[in-house]
Structure formats: structure tokens, C-alpha cells
Amino acid sequence: MRFVIIGGDAAGMSAASRARRNDPGMEIIVLEQGRDVSYSACNIPYNIADPRREMEDLVVRSARAFREKQGIDLRTGHRVEHIDRAGKTVAGRTAGGEPFTVAYDRLLIATGADPIKPPIEGMDLSGVFVVKNLEHGRRIKTFLRDRQAKRAVIVGMGYIALEMAEALSERGLAVDLIKPRAGLLPWLDPALSQPVRELLVARGVGVHDGYPIERIIAEGEQLRVIAGELRLEADVVIAAIGVTPNASLAREAGLDVSVGGSIAVDRGLRTSDSAIYAAGDCADSYHIVTGEKTWIPLALRANRAGWAVADNVCGQQVELPGVAGTAVFKVFAMQVARTGLNEAEARGAGFDPVRVQIRSKSRAGIYPGAQPVYVSMVGDRASGRLLGAQMTGIDQVAHRINAVAVALLAGMGVAEFSQSDLAYAPPFGPTWDPLLTAANQLVKQLKG
Amino acid sequence: MRFVIIGGDAAGMSAASRARRNDPGMEIIVLEQGRDVSYSACNIPYNIADPRREMEDLVVRSARAFREKQGIDLRTGHRVEHIDRAGKTVAGRTAGGEPFTVAYDRLLIATGADPIKPPIEGMDLSGVFVVKNLEHGRRIKTFLRDRQAKRAVIVGMGYIALEMAEALSERGLAVDLIKPRAGLLPWLDPALSQPVRELLVARGVGVHDGYPIERIIAEGEQLRVIAGELRLEADVVIAAIGVTPNASLAREAGLDVSVGGSIAVDRGLRTSDSAIYAAGDCADSYHIVTGEKTWIPLALRANRAGWAVADNVCGQQVELPGVAGTAVFKVFAMQVARTGLNEAEARGAGFDPVRVQIRSKSRAGIYPGAQPVYVSMVGDRASGRLLGAQMTGIDQVAHRINAVAVALLAGMGVAEFSQSDLAYAPPFGPTWDPLLTAANQLVKQLKG
């Protein structure tokens, strides 16, 4: 049995390692177009923040370790350009321009996602970057150091944009954020996003939402971002407006595609060709709340899908339930967390959503250091089912969301969730955890 | 309808307030033997830690507010000594010695728990205290201040004993902990309790487990705790070896009692007399994992039970699923959390437990500030069901336990829990949360 994997990051290398553990004798070939494998992409902003650290610190396991310790035939600099499903081969070129062809019994496409380049004039100027992989990180760090950059403009206000805003502020740069549509984190209730905005402004970050960029121009080494009346000077511009699944190989091979152009897979991670799997940021998944397909490129589900592919390739029958859309990030001291659906998403998915929004505290009110915790929680009027929650605050927010994530996986009703025996001690929350206060209010609203 | 409540703390006042919200016209009488109502008992150690704070800071809502704003007939200094179930009256004496009798339609017994006085010679000496209510707290604070106490011995090593050890250390006292049996937090695996012991020792606290105290003697103002060869000098001795349900009124009235002498109630909080409810630390509850009766005196379930009683008195049909035994506390920087059953408890409850114990990290390994997180997780071999987890660590441990608490309420299997879409970002954990790492290993063990 020869198991061939296209792509050597989270999903691909998880699958390779797991397949090796499952089957010491299996032939496992990984074809990676770049030179980096198995690195922590989520840590790139934190690495950029610290000039003393090398981007190589983010490598979780070296190519050499995969080859020598695990006996995985890992070929970096191998770009696959074509999948021949009938002949069960993949073909492409090495970084040196040599053509190659590799036959497979089972194939995993784990090609990840690419950063979206905004269609703006000037995106190709020197000093304008996207940020997704280690190579991007290296280029940005080198540029920041060589130019002694003092001012940055970040295009986008999603979590990577905000993490980059913190990272560059930590390095001493003045930072402006800009995006075309009004609204910072528009998937949050205004009461939840407002504290995020206030903290950004308090930390000196310019927040310019509602400014469509017309172009970026260069005057010598100085960049200028032009959006109507607004002109932002910058030494460096970083576009972080999101990513798109890298599904072109699959599409050209005639495999089914799905939400956002991602590769369609079943719960066992099989594409529309039963010999070919897809996993990670290039593939779709099921949403456990809606039961429908979704595309949420995050690290945990990539690792989990990689394992499931390896198990299935090795003859097991693993099916993944899907994702809840749980996500968390930090910007400066602010923690932002979500799982499941917000009110608009719930309505879009055909539910009749009821939403409560509360403000509670991170610790017992009289315990030193108690901070506001903002919670939105959404339930379905018809069924009473819990659909999702969002939270913000600067103290002990992130992990709280996991209680809701588990409740979503269990398909709990709001009333049942409100009876959860959550932990209480004064340093960690009020007697009624903010989630329980929200759930208690939502139970009442659902009855009303 | 006259609703009479014996006891004016968490369960009693929760019930009174909720009954008032449910029914603006109901006659609600609360009979409280002391002078304090509705205070945060869990905050007493933290209040003792800070000489600048008054014990009155812990009052959540004043007796006056209950009377004037909510129209609750709250009678402090009223000690109930007898329940006449046939006549539906309660009788007792005021603090001034006046007898009183009050008739009820529905009665709630919310008499709480009393601290256990260890049967040791010398427990009545000046400078020897128990700690459970505000009055105890006041006496301890006054004594510490007046005597300028420098050395403390704490009898017991449960969570209140450890919180008191931190509190007195914060005030600058030298602290020794002592208990008769060997083992600090014996319900934790040694790998989990060892970091707690190490931190206590590092903070200068003497940890003397396995020393049965023979007696406490006084030489002038100096106290000496004698346990065989071990002699501990102290200005103050605090016994915190646990609490016992205050169920004597109920027992004398012929109501059924249960685990540990607590008052037996059904899921609707009714005692064996359908006109009488019991709630809070004096009453038992169901354990959601074993389905059996248990007695776990903690604040959240007291509040929740108080609400449920009020709802049922007002004609609703509320049934509580029970408790998971979730508990969390902090001692110095160390966070200790548990929910459900440990291995020994699971075996005692008739399961065939399988346990894993792992060490992971609180943040991504390369993120600054990552600290060890120790997790034990227990599942049932026959059913695959998740039975419980315990965790210790100094960073981001407490809230993690709630994901397991919700899973227990849902009756999840370990395999299902292992598919939870838990939050990931480098400041908050590894890609695989420590709970998922434990669950993944436990899934393997359960198969093996």
C-alpha cells in the first residue's frame, strides 16, 4: 500500500505520522512544494512580534526527523501540478525544474489555503505583504529589520489582522487597521465588539473601518494607502483579509467542490473519488449545529482530519462529527471567543433564533481583579436548542467558551445546559458563571 | 400562601428572592438564627487575607434590602428549635430569649452545614477557631490583629484549609498544615498533587500529613499542637477539616436523612414530607454520573436548589438533574479542578474504570508563559462513558474543567468528547487542548 500526501503541514504531516504509527510497513510519500513542513502557522504573529526569535522556532518537527525517525519519504520542493485519477498518479515539478510522477494507492490532498490578495493597485509594491506561511513571516521580519520600519498599515480586521496589529505594536510600530466595510468584528454584538475597539484605540492603533482602499502608492521607500479622504503613511503594509482554499488541483481533477471553493469530503474525509482524501484548510467539513457543509480553516480540525484520514487509509472506519466553529483569539489583553452560530447565522441556517446579551464578571465581584465579561448566547425558539455563544473580556474568557462547544456537540437544549455543574471559586468567577447567567436568561426568553 | 424559610444564606435567600419575583403577593418569612444573611462564605479566606477589608464586604444583599425592596419578612436572631409537621408550624426562640411560633403552608429548610470540630483536647482554647460563617471570620480577623499573630497551625488539608494557608501567608504569618492521614489531596493522582505540595513548600508552608494530633495546649498566649514527636508552635490554630449538614431539626421532625446525615430530597427538592423542602448544604442531591444520592456542599448548587424550591412552591414542576461534583480552588498560584469521579470513586460506584494521566501545557509550547497542565481522566471500560477528570497547574486550568462538566451532564462517551471542537490559539493552549490529549489517550486505553 502506497499512501501519497500532497502538502506537508498540519493535516498532511498529522496523517503521515499517524499512518506510520498505525502501519510500520506502509510506504508513505509526502510531496511538499516549499521547504517548510509541520510548523505552527498560528504562532507566526507572535514570532514576528519578537525580533530575537527565528521563524524556524515554529517548526514543530523537522523534515529530517520525519525522514529518519519515522521513515516517511518526505520530498520538499516537490510541487504537484496534476492528478491523474484514472492512472492513480500525481505529476509535477521539483524546485529545480525536474518533472516527477508518483503513483498512489491512496492519495491525500492537504494543500491548505492561500492568503487572499485584495484586488488593489499597488499590492505588488515592495513593502506590501500577505501573511500565511513561514516564508511570508521570514520576509516580513527581514523587511521590518532592514528598513527599521516605524509605521504599518494592516488591511483587514479579522483575527490574523488583529494579532498582527498587536505583534507590530509590540515591536514599536505605529499601526493602522483599515477595511472597506464598517464594523469591527461584525459577527459580534456591538456590546461585545466595543470593548475590543476601545482597547485597540487605547493602545494607539488606528481603526479605520468603512474605508474602501483605492490604491497603494510608493514615494521612494514610503508607502501611502489611499482610501478616499483617508491617506495612511506606512513603511510596511500587510494584507490579512482572509484565506481561500487551495483546491485548484482537486478541481482540475474533476473532484467535487463545496463551500467557498473548498474540496467536498464526507465524514470519513473521502472526496468524490474514493481513493482520494482531502483534509485541512483545503477541505470542507460538517457543521455540528446546522448539519450542513461549512468551511472553517483552523488548526485543530486540520490535525484531527489528518488523523482520521490515516486511520481510514489503514482500514478503520472513522467518521468525524464536524466542527462547531469554535474560535478564540487575543488582541493585546482582550480575549475574543465564539462557538456555534450567532443570531444572524442561526437565522440564515433556518432556525428561529432568540438571543440574550449579558455583562457579568470574570471573578467574584468582590475578588480583586474582577473584570467585565460580555456574553451573547443564542437558542432556537422552536426546539429550545442551544445554537451558539460569543464572549469578550480581558480576564478568563477564552476557556469558558469550551463548555458551550461541548454542549453543542451534545446537541443540548438551553435549559439542560443551564443546569451544568460549572466550577465556582471566587478567583475564577461569580457563583453563577457568566455562561449560566446568560443561559438562565435565555431559558426565560425562550419561554416568553 | 405562606412560604416559611429556615436559614438566610445562599439557598434560603435565593429561594426567598425567587419566590418574590415569581409571586408579588406571596407571604414570605425567613427565620435566620444569626445576624448575617446572604453573604459570600467562599470569599471568607480572601477577606481574612486582607486586613484592610471588613467582613461586612462579603454581604451580597443586606437584610434591609430584602425587607424594604423585596417585601420579604426577614427575621434575624430567630432560632427555630422545632418543626410541628402535623400542625404545620415551626417554633423557637429569638436571640433575646422570646419564644415564637410561625405557621407555614410550605416550608424550606436551608440550615446549611456546620464546621466539624475535631475531637481533640484543647479545641476550646482561646486562639483556636473553626471557619465557616462571617462571625467566625470576624473573630479570626480580630484575634489576628489584636494578638499580632505570627504563626498559625491549620488542621486539615482540604480546600478551605489550603485557602486559609494562602490567606494567612499573605498576611505574613508562618503557616503549618497538619492532618492525621498521609496524603495531600488524596483524591488526586500523585502526579497531580505533587505540584501542589511543592508549591506549598516553596512558599514556606509546612505540610505535615500523617500526624494525628493528640492535643493542643496553651502556655500563656502561646499554643502548641502536639502530634507524637511533632510539636508545632502557634499563636492561632484554625481547624478546617470539613463540614457536616445541619439536619438536626429535620431529623427530629422525622424527615428522612441520607448521605452523611444530609436531608433526603427528591429532584424537586421535596423532603419525605411533601409540604417541606430542603436545599443547600443541609440537603442531599443526585450525582449525574452515578445516578445515586450524594452530598456535596457547594455554593452553586445551593443557589440553584433555592431557585428550584421557589419555582416549585409557586406551582411549577422543576426537577434538577443533580451535581457532577465539579469543584475548583486556588492555593497560591496553583489551580486545582475536578469534576465527576476519580478512579477510586468510579470503582466504588460499580464502574470498571480506566484512567489516563497526562502532562501537557497551558499554552502553545513555544508561546511565552506556557506552564505544565496535569490531567487525569477516567472512563468506563464497559460503556466507554466519560466518568470524570481532575487537573492541576498554575496557568489556565480552572475553566478547562467545565468542558468535562458539560460532557458529564450530557452523558457523553470518551470517544464523543474527544471530538469536541475546543478553542485553540497559542496564548490559550496547544492545538490539542490538554483535555483532548487526555481523551485521545483514554479512547485508546478503552479499546485496548
Side-chain angles (χ1 to χ4, degrees):
Chain A
M1 160 77 83
R2 181 189 274 181
F3 180 29
V4 174
I5 299 168
I6 309 173
D9 197 14
M13 295 320 297
S14 292
S17 289
R18 178 92 159 192
R20 171 58 67 234
R21 278 197 300 278
N22 287 347
D23 183 349
M26 180 180 281
E27 187 181 6
I28 305 168
I29 300 173
V30 179
L31 304 167
E32 163 57 44
Q33 64 176 350
R35 63 177 167 118
D36 303 308
V37 296
S38 189
Y39 58 88
S40 175
C42 305
N43 270 290
I44 290 174
Y46 305 104
N47 188 291
I48 289 174
D50 186 349
R52 296 161 305 177
R53 292 169 74 193
E54 296 296 323
M55 204 49 67
E56 273 56 39
D57 294 352
L58 302 188
V59 173
V60 176
R61 196 173 176 82
S62 70
R64 186 171 164 171
F66 283 112
R67 291 186 191 117
E68 297 182 2
K69 295 196 181 157
Q70 293 183 268
I72 292 166
D73 183 355
L74 169 56
R75 306 179 188 175
T76 49
H78 278 60
R79 178 179 174 80
V80 175
E81 294 169 339
H82 178 70
I83 300 170
D84 174 358
R85 289 167 55 191
K88 285 197 170 181
T89 60
V90 298
R93 272 174 201 282
T94 66
E98 292 296 310
F100 66 83
T101 301
V102 177
Y104 64 82
D105 296 306
R106 291 288 178 275
L107 179 67
L108 167 60
I109 304 173
T111 43
D114 289 325
I116 299 173
K117 265 196 173 182
I120 300 168
E121 187 188 322
M123 273 300 296
D124 296 325
L125 290 169
S126 167
V128 181
F129 299 93
V130 293
V131 55
K132 174 72 170 67
N133 60 35
L134 285 199
E135 190 50 36
H136 299 138
R138 283 187 199 103
R139 285 182 207 150
I140 292 169
K141 282 191 99 159
T142 303
F143 187 88
L144 292 174
R145 187 194 60 209
D146 292 352
R147 288 288 176 88
Q148 293 287 305
K150 297 281 185 294
R151 300 186 59 94
V153 169
I154 296 171
V155 183
M157 295 190 193
Y159 72 94
I160 294 172
L162 294 175
E163 288 171 351
M164 285 302 301
E166 176 183 345
L168 297 179
S169 289
E170 294 292 328
R171 285 187 70 126
L173 280 81
V175 177
D176 284 288
L177 290 159
I178 183 168
K179 65 178 278 217
R181 269 183 276 190
L184 173 67
L185 303 170
W187 45 270
L188 289 175
D189 287 334
L192 276 70
S193 60
Q194 188 58 27
V196 184
R197 183 185 291 269
E198 285 169 8
L199 183 59
L200 283 166
V201 171
R203 294 297 300 259
V205 174
V207 183
H208 312 283
D209 50 319
Y211 289 90
I213 298 175
E214 288 150 25
R215 60 188 181 281
I216 305 170
I217 60 172
E219 295 182 2
E221 292 191 345
Q222 187 71 35
L223 297 169
R224 184 173 295 149
V225 176
I226 298 173
E229 295 300 295
L230 184 70
R231 271 126 214 273
L232 299 169
E233 305 290 324
D235 304 312
V236 61
V237 174
I238 294 175
I241 64 166
V243 296
T244 185
N246 193 344
S248 53
L249 269 182
R251 215 166 34 234
E252 286 159 17
L255 299 174
D256 290 351
V257 293
S258 160
V259 186
S262 59
I263 305 170
V265 293
D266 66 14
R267 288 194 162 81
L269 287 311
R270 277 169 295 266
T271 66
S272 48
D273 179 331
S274 64
I276 305 180
Y277 296 79
D281 288 358
C282 64
D284 70 1
S285 66
Y286 285 88
H287 196 293
I288 59 167
V289 178
T290 65
E292 303 291 327
K293 286 297 191 80
T294 189
W295 179 66
I296 300 176
L298 286 173
L300 173 60
R301 72 141 193 146
N303 283 270
R304 189 173 260 155
W307 282 14
V309 169
D311 289 348
N312 287 337
V313 164
C314 295
Q316 298 181 43
Q317 304 295 330
V318 174
E319 303 229 308
L320 298 183
V323 299
T326 311
V328 63
F329 66 90
K330 178 177 100 66
V331 54
F332 297 111
M334 187 64 62
Q335 302 175 18
V336 180
R338 65 165 299 171
T339 191
L341 309 178
N342 66 16
E343 189 180 13
E345 291 161 345
R347 188 168 292 113
F351 295 102
D352 180 9
V354 178
R355 176 182 60 88
V356 295
Q357 193 272 308
I358 64 129
R359 176 187 158 137
S360 179
K361 296 228 166 162
S362 63
R363 312 178 185 196
I366 50 178
Y367 191 90
Q371 294 288 344
V373 172
Y374 302 86
V375 184
S376 291
M377 190 175 281
V378 180
D380 179 42
R381 189 180 301 279
S383 63
R385 190 174 157 200
L386 180 61
L387 299 178
Q390 303 85 42
M391 307 180 75
T392 55
I394 65 171
D395 183 43
Q396 303 186 78
V397 165
H399 294 289
R400 282 191 152 98
I401 204 70
N402 287 338
V404 181
V406 173
L408 295 179
L409 180 59
M412 272 188 179
V414 179
E416 185 182 7
F417 177 72
S418 77
Q419 294 296 333
S420 298
D421 189 10
L422 300 190
Y424 164 60
F428 305 117
T431 309
W432 293 95
D433 189 271
L435 287 174
L436 295 177
T437 298
N440 287 336
Q441 292 201 13
L442 188 52
V443 167
K444 268 194 272 183
Q445 293 287 321
L446 286 165
K447 281 184 191 162
Chain B
M1 160 76 84
R2 181 188 274 182
F3 180 29
V4 174
I5 298 168
I6 308 174
D9 196 14
M13 297 319 298
S14 291
S17 289
R18 178 91 160 193
R20 172 57 69 236
R21 278 198 301 279
N22 286 347
D23 183 350
M26 180 181 281
E27 187 181 6
I28 304 168
I29 301 173
V30 179
L31 304 167
E32 163 58 44
Q33 64 177 350
R35 63 178 167 117
D36 302 309
V37 296
S38 190
Y39 58 88
S40 174
C42 304
N43 271 289
I44 290 174
Y46 304 105
N47 188 292
I48 289 174
D50 186 349
R52 295 161 305 177
R53 291 170 75 193
E54 297 295 324
M55 204 50 69
E56 273 56 38
D57 295 351
L58 301 189
V59 173
V60 177
R61 197 174 174 83
S62 70
R64 186 169 163 173
F66 282 112
R67 291 185 190 116
E68 297 182 1
K69 295 196 180 156
Q70 294 184 266
I72 291 166
D73 183 354
L74 169 56
R75 305 179 189 176
T76 49
H78 276 61
R79 178 180 174 80
V80 174
E81 295 169 339
H82 178 71
I83 300 170
D84 176 358
R85 289 167 54 190
K88 285 195 169 182
T89 60
V90 299
R93 273 175 200 282
T94 67
E98 292 295 310
F100 66 84
T101 300
V102 177
Y104 65 82
D105 295 307
R106 291 289 178 276
L107 179 66
L108 167 60
I109 304 174
T111 43
D114 289 325
I116 299 172
K117 266 195 170 183
I120 300 170
E121 187 188 322
M123 273 300 296
D124 295 326
L125 291 169
S126 167
V128 181
F129 299 93
V130 292
V131 54
K132 175 72 171 68
N133 59 35
L134 284 198
E135 190 52 35
H136 299 139
R138 283 187 199 101
R139 285 182 207 151
I140 292 169
K141 282 192 99 158
T142 303
F143 186 89
L144 292 174
R145 187 193 61 209
D146 292 352
R147 287 289 176 88
Q148 294 285 306
K150 297 282 184 292
R151 298 185 60 94
V153 169
I154 296 171
V155 183
M157 294 191 195
Y159 72 94
I160 294 172
L162 294 176
E163 287 171 352
M164 284 302 300
E166 176 183 344
L168 297 179
S169 289
E170 294 292 327
R171 284 186 69 125
L173 281 80
V175 176
D176 284 289
L177 290 158
I178 182 168
K179 65 178 279 214
R181 267 182 276 189
L184 173 68
L185 304 170
W187 45 270
L188 288 177
D189 286 334
L192 276 70
S193 60
Q194 188 58 26
V196 184
R197 183 186 290 268
E198 285 169 8
L199 183 60
L200 283 166
V201 171
R203 294 298 299 258
V205 174
V207 182
H208 312 283
D209 50 319
Y211 288 90
I213 298 175
E214 289 150 24
R215 61 189 182 280
I216 305 170
I217 60 173
E219 294 181 3
E221 291 189 347
Q222 187 70 35
L223 298 168
R224 185 173 295 149
V225 177
I226 297 172
E229 296 301 293
L230 183 71
R231 272 124 215 274
L232 299 169
E233 306 288 325
D235 303 313
V236 60
V237 174
I238 294 175
I241 64 167
V243 296
T244 184
N246 193 343
S248 54
L249 268 181
R251 216 165 33 234
E252 287 158 16
L255 298 176
D256 290 349
V257 293
S258 159
V259 187
S262 59
I263 305 169
V265 293
D266 66 13
R267 288 194 161 79
L269 288 312
R270 279 168 294 265
T271 67
S272 49
D273 179 329
S274 64
I276 305 181
Y277 296 79
D281 288 358
C282 63
D284 71 0
S285 65
Y286 285 88
H287 196 293
I288 59 168
V289 179
T290 65
E292 303 291 327
K293 286 299 191 79
T294 189
W295 179 67
I296 301 175
L298 287 174
L300 172 61
R301 73 142 194 147
N303 282 269
R304 189 173 260 154
W307 281 15
V309 169
D311 289 347
N312 286 337
V313 165
C314 295
Q316 297 181 43
Q317 305 293 331
V318 174
E319 304 228 309
L320 297 183
V323 299
T326 311
V328 63
F329 67 90
K330 180 178 97 67
V331 53
F332 298 110
M334 187 63 62
Q335 303 176 18
V336 181
R338 64 166 298 171
T339 191
L341 310 179
N342 66 17
E343 188 180 13
E345 291 161 345
R347 189 168 290 113
F351 294 102
D352 180 9
V354 178
R355 174 182 62 87
V356 294
Q357 192 273 306
I358 64 127
R359 174 185 158 140
S360 179
K361 296 228 166 162
S362 63
R363 313 179 185 193
I366 50 178
Y367 192 89
Q371 294 288 343
V373 172
Y374 301 87
V375 184
S376 291
M377 190 174 281
V378 180
D380 179 42
R381 189 180 300 280
S383 63
R385 190 173 158 201
L386 180 62
L387 299 178
Q390 303 85 42
M391 307 179 76
T392 56
I394 65 172
D395 183 43
Q396 304 187 77
V397 165
H399 294 289
R400 282 192 152 98
I401 204 70
N402 287 339
V404 182
V406 173
L408 295 179
L409 180 58
M412 270 188 181
V414 179
E416 186 182 7
F417 177 73
S418 77
Q419 294 295 334
S420 298
D421 189 10
L422 301 189
Y424 164 60
F428 305 117
T431 309
W432 294 95
D433 188 273
L435 287 174
L436 295 178
T437 298
N440 287 336
Q441 293 203 10
L442 188 51
V443 167
K444 269 193 271 181
Q445 292 288 321
L446 286 165
K447 281 184 193 162

